[in-house]
Amino acid sequence: MVTVDLSDTFVKPVPLYAKVKQAIIEKIYTGEWKPHDRVPSESELVKQFNCSRMTANRALRELMAEGFLFRLQGVGSFVSEPKGQSALFEIHSIADEIAARSNQHSCKVLKLAEVNANITQAAELGIVAGTAIYHSIIVHYENDVPVQIENRYVNAQAVPAYLRQDFNQQTTHDYLSMVAPLTEGEHIVEAVAGDVRSCRLLQIEADTPCLLISRRTWSKEHIVSSAKLLFPGHRYKLKGHFSS
C-alpha cells in the first residue's frame, strides 16, 4: 500500500467574498432567513465581516445570479423563494403551478384591447395582416413578487369573447383551454436580457438575465394564441421529462 503525506500540502485560503456568501447561504438553508426576509446591506456586511465594499458587493451579486437572493430597486436585497419550476413540454396555468408550491397567485392586467395584426403577428397567428386580433399584457405574482410578464396575442375569430373576461379571476390559459381546447403547442426558449420596462415591472435590475418562452397554441386547425412569457432568470427554471 502506498501512503501519501499531505502534511505539507498547500491549502489555498478561501476568498473573503466566498466566506460572506457561505455565511448568508447557511442562514437561508437553516431557515434563520426565510423567503422575502431582507438580508444585510453592503454597508452592514462591510461592518459585520470587516471587508471592503467591493467584497460585499461581489458576494451579493453572485448570490443574486445564483438565485439565492433578489433585489428590489431602492429597497434592498431579499431571500428568494425556492425556484419555481415550469414544465418544458407541458402547458399549465401559472396559477396552478404557484398553487402547487402552496403559494398565492395574483396578477395585474396592464392591457386588454383589440388591435390590427401587423405582419409579424399575422404570421404567428396564421391570419391576414390587418385582421382584428386581441392583445393582453398581464404581470403574474407569486406571494406578491412578480414572476412572469405574459404578452399575448389572440385570434379573435377563434375566441370572440376574450375581451369580456376578467383575467384577475381566471387566467388566460384556463379561459382559452375551456373555449378552445388545446390540441397542439409550440415552445421556443431563449435566454435574454430584460429591457428597462420589463425589468421595472419584474422589480429587477436593468439587463438582468431573463428566460423568454415564445409559445403558440392550436385548437384543431386554428392557431388560437401567440404568447411571449418573460421570467426573471433567478426566479424560475424549466423541467422536461423524457421517456422511450
Side-chain angles (χ1 to χ4, degrees):
M1 180 171 60
V2 177
T3 60
V4 180
D5 182 5
L6 298 178
S7 59
D8 294 326
T9 301
F10 174 72
V11 179
K12 187 177 180 180
V14 178
L16 186 51
Y17 80 87
K19 292 182 179 179
V20 176
K21 285 178 60 179
Q22 187 60 40
I24 293 173
I25 290 170
E26 286 179 1
K27 289 183 181 293
I28 294 172
Y29 279 161
T30 60
E32 183 175 344
W33 290 353
K34 296 177 173 55
H36 304 292
D37 281 353
R38 182 182 175 278
V39 304
S41 66
E42 285 183 18
S43 299
E44 291 167 332
L45 290 174
V46 166
K47 293 179 181 178
Q48 182 178 342
F49 290 93
N50 192 26
C51 64
S52 69
R53 195 175 189 89
M54 184 180 298
T55 295
N57 178 268
R58 178 171 179 177
L60 291 175
R61 281 191 294 107
E62 291 194 4
L63 288 169
M64 282 187 279
E66 293 164 11
F68 290 100
L69 306 178
F70 68 93
R71 183 171 183 79
L72 296 181
Q73 293 178 351
V75 181
S77 299
F78 299 82
V79 178
S80 296
E81 287 276 355
K83 274 195 174 184
Q85 188 168 279
S86 182
L88 180 56
F89 300 109
E90 301 173 9
I91 297 178
H92 298 290
S93 164
I94 188 170
D96 291 341
E97 292 178 2
I98 290 171
R101 295 190 289 274
S102 301
N103 291 330
Q104 182 70 39
H105 168 266
S106 59
C107 71
K108 182 181 296 183
V109 179
L110 303 183
K111 183 175 183 178
L112 186 60
E114 180 178 305
V115 298
N116 293 324
N118 62 28
I119 293 174
T120 301
Q121 295 152 5
E124 290 176 348
L125 291 172
I127 57 177
V128 177
T131 301
I133 58 175
Y134 300 140
H135 183 204
S136 59
I137 301 176
I138 301 172
V139 181
H140 295 275
Y141 298 81
E142 182 168 352
N143 293 344
D144 297 323
V145 177
V147 293
Q148 183 197 90
I149 299 174
E150 172 194 332
N151 188 1
R152 185 182 298 272
Y153 292 95
V154 176
N155 185 332
Q157 295 178 349
V159 193
Y162 188 77
L163 296 186
R164 297 199 294 272
Q165 308 310 308
D166 181 358
F167 293 121
N168 288 295
Q169 301 300 318
Q170 181 183 39
T171 65
T172 57
H173 171 273
D174 288 343
Y175 174 70
L176 293 174
S177 297
M178 179 178 65
V179 300
L182 175 70
T183 57
E184 186 178 350
E186 173 187 88
H187 280 311
I188 299 174
V189 182
E190 301 173 84
V192 300
D195 59 51
V196 173
R197 180 171 184 266
S198 296
C199 288
R200 185 171 66 249
L201 291 173
L202 292 171
Q203 298 176 12
I204 55 179
E205 301 286 350
D207 296 325
T208 294
C210 293
L211 186 69
L212 176 65
I213 300 178
S214 299
R215 175 183 292 168
R216 291 197 299 168
T217 54
W218 282 256
S219 184
K220 298 181 180 179
E221 72 276 11
H222 297 293
I223 301 174
V224 174
S225 79
S226 173
K228 294 192 181 298
L229 312 174
L230 187 71
F231 303 84
H234 64 284
R235 294 183 199 157
Y236 241 76
K237 62 182 177 181
L238 291 171
K239 177 183 179 181
H241 177 76
F242 302 85
S243 60
S244 59

